[in-house]
Amino acid sequence: MSTTSPAMTAREAGPAETAVELIGVTKRFGAFVANEDVSLSVKRGEIHAIIGENGAGKTTLMNILFGLLQPDEGKIVLNGKETVVTDPATAIDAGLGMVHQHFKLVPSLSVADNVFLGMEIRRNGLIDHRAQVEKTRELSERFGLKVDPEERVSLLSVGIEQRIEILKVLARGARTIILDEPTAVLTPQESRELFQTLRGFVAGGMTVIFISHHLEEVMEVSDTVTVLRHGKHVATQPTAELTKADMVRMMVGRDVSFDRRPRDKTGGKVVLEVKNLWARDDRHLPALRDASFTVRSGEIVGIAGVAGNGQTELAEVLSGLRPASHGSALLKDSDLTTLSTSAIRQTGLAHVPGDRLVRGVDGSASISSNLLMGRQFKAPWSRNGVLDWRAAANQAVEMIKRFDIRARGPEDTVKRLSGGNIQKVVLAREFTNDADFLLVDQPTRGVDIGAQESIHDEIMRQRAAGRAVLVISVQLDELLTLADRILVMFNGRIMGEVDGDSADSERIGMMMAGLQPGNASDEVAS
Amino acid sequence: MSDKLRAFSGQIVAVLIALAMGAVIIMLIDESPIKVFMTLMRGAFGDQAKIAGTLLQTTPILICGIAACIGLRGGMFNVGIEGQLFLGGFAAAWVGFAMPLPAGLHVVVAMAVAVIAGAAWVSIPAFFRVRYGTNEVVSTILSNYVAVLLTSYLTIFLFKRPGGWSETPPILATAYLPELFAFSRLNWGLIIGLVLALFVAWFFRHTAKGYSISMVGSAPKFAEYGGIDVKRQGFLVLLASGAVGGLAGGIETLGVHHRFMEGFAPGFGFDGLIAALLANGSPIGTIVTALFFGALRNGSLLLETDTNASREIITVIQALIILSVSAQVLMKRRGDSTAGERRWKF
């Protein structure tokens, strides 16, 4: 640790060994216990990862630490001093800073204005833009977070936006930084840069708390790991002593496999043939450019890419929710680009949408009612246009059993279910449609690890049943687990194809960043 | 089920709060709220004739309420029911006085033309909504003014009955909607309204089409994804809503006034909308809320003779109900400034 680093000259006086200590923290929401007697200590100068399934209480715990929630029991010790963190302002005063999962930036303002939003530097009552720019530049150089302070935020990439969020926290004097799933929106390369920055922070004596799902990243960057399960503290151990399998076992409470799924040789007939497909996004800019590929029966084709590189538009065009501007997509000799959503479904599409809460379900309706969508005119669920709700309920009971949906019953409201169980409702409906082509967009986004495994199993079963499956995912490991072939999208184009058996994430990561493998020395085309 | 119960108790609380605030306003004009409410009760349910009068006022509110329910369930806010009521009322009167037909058939044709008139009138805003995404709230509100003035013009300049009144000639007796009792003008319109409420409730709950429309209303993106033609459904929903609005006007003309006159049914369209909103878009619930507003209207007739309060106090109470229902939603989701607005999109 270098004592000459300017970061070290900041405020703390006493060399308290632990930056943050939580003792016996319990938080209840009604009958639900989100955190139960959690004790945890984070040493100064370490990167401390907190892992656990969805609903394990990670975010609740961090919100308590940052003063957004009040614990029912327990104490918080910051820098060796017991502190009652009544609100985020108290937390910030104590040197804590939090970078949320969803960025809170004003797109029309400059980087510097965003960094100092709410604590503007004033001169004669007016905002001193020049001083803000200077200060931002100084922070940016000191911490190695490259940004142009005068650029407008709306023109910047997600990776840069995250840097600005971190700068905001630093400008408020944070010495302990909490990051909530920071890499969810980044390319592998951007993630690596972030990790370098974080290592720089701890080398300068700062402390990083890092919430993550991605165990590989946790292995790569953290010094210590804390595992939470069902709101309880399971273990805190040095990362070096753990394997990925150990972590999964502690998170889920049993062994889970994320190895590549075994499979037979593929090679059915072509079910979907996409030719020179173009489409525009909501701003009428080309978002999908000249995509051509095929999907065969009994084959899983994966689409990899950082979110926002045309995958959404591709899924929407194939399902009839967005018009194509050029090209065709033949499903069993029908051109999907000329058909309505209902005609496409009749042709043989099942679709698991990426934004499942908006597209995939009616949250306010029951499970029975959600499973009825698309079948409301078919026997046995309806006769002569009159619904048979008993048949719908029977179907729901059967699906709840078959897909292991954790619900109180067929009349349970969907929005009450957890993310994984809502996704299972969507899968249950779509995978039992007897469609030849399955379009599965982000199958496990926001789904916890145990449920991820069973969703992957189900997709593999569909493959075995001879369906043609297109899986779009921003999680590369998911595609490496499932896909027979992986297509990589960047900026609306398919950059290349990789065989699933011999794929390596390094090569795919470069294509995700817009680099052609082979001439890796090229600058990132952006 | 508990969701429904909670929503229901919420509506009751909203009504009670509105009545309490109404009581304060009554006290401000130096009148006793208890006396006013008792007078309202007596005016609404005091004797046989008064109960029949209340039901007579309830009928158009109920049918307009059903029209609103159809729109709300399909995600369309038809605020033009008042205008559809006027056009339906005029169209029924025109068939009634200008087109002699055998008894029985006459009244049916007159009502059918009222239905068509209502649907035709809403088809203009419906077209713009579906084709160009024009907000149907604004366009249907505006269409009310045109409808009211158009029917006035037709009545005064083209079809005026000789004499001093701004009204059409009386309809032929063959077009009368039969009355239920000798002592009141209460007629078959009430029965039609009740049957229609039950039918619409059944339709939304138990038919495939009703399911599709409800999904368009409650989760439009989900419906679109699931293969439902959202625009087509939206158009049809507005048309059906307007048709029922036209029917309300036809029944009012054929059952009560037996002619069309300027300002023949003031505010029934809006009262129906409020009744439907208070009933959370449920046609069955609308039977109850329409009866409530019908009782307020009929009871208010006694207010000006028996108390110092103006009958406009019931308009104040209705407005307070709307305010307190919205406020309740806003308080539940504090910080979400659009919650109140979305509250009405079912």
Side-chain angles (χ1 to χ4, degrees), chain A residues 321 341-342 345 351 353 358-362 365 369-370 372-373 376-377 385-387 389 416 426 429-430, chain B residues 2-3 6 202 204-209 211-212 214-215 218-229:
Chain A
L321 297 166
T341 50
S342 70
R345 282 188 168 269
H351 178 194
V358 178
R359 285 271 188 221
V361 291
D362 175 2
S369 175
N370 271 286
L372 192 59
M373 177 55 84
Q376 68 266 37
F377 291 103
V386 179
L387 294 176
W389 280 105
R416 275 191 222 278
V426 179
R429 185 184 59 228
E430 299 300 318
Chain B
S2 68
D3 266 358
R6 208 172 310 136
W202 174 83
F204 278 121
R205 175 67 190 157
H206 290 287
T207 69
K209 273 240 169 290
Y211 170 84
S212 307
S214 304
M215 280 301 171
S218 64
K221 295 213 152 166
F222 174 50
E224 183 189 20
Y225 146 89
I228 296 170
D229 188 339

Side-chain angles (χ1 to χ4, degrees), chain A residues 447-463:
Chain A
V447 170
D448 54 46
I449 289 181
Q452 278 179 19
E453 189 190 29
S454 72
I455 288 171
H456 287 173
D457 288 344
E458 193 56 50
I459 293 174
M460 288 306 291
R461 271 197 284 279
Q462 297 292 324
R463 177 187 180 278

Side-chain angles (χ1 to χ4, degrees), chain B residues 68-76 204 213-214 216-218 233-234 237 346:
Chain B
C69 285
I70 294 172
L72 294 172
R73 291 293 282 270
M76 287 288 171
F204 278 121
I213 293 172
S214 304
V216 173
S218 64
Q233 297 297 343
V237 157
F346 294 91

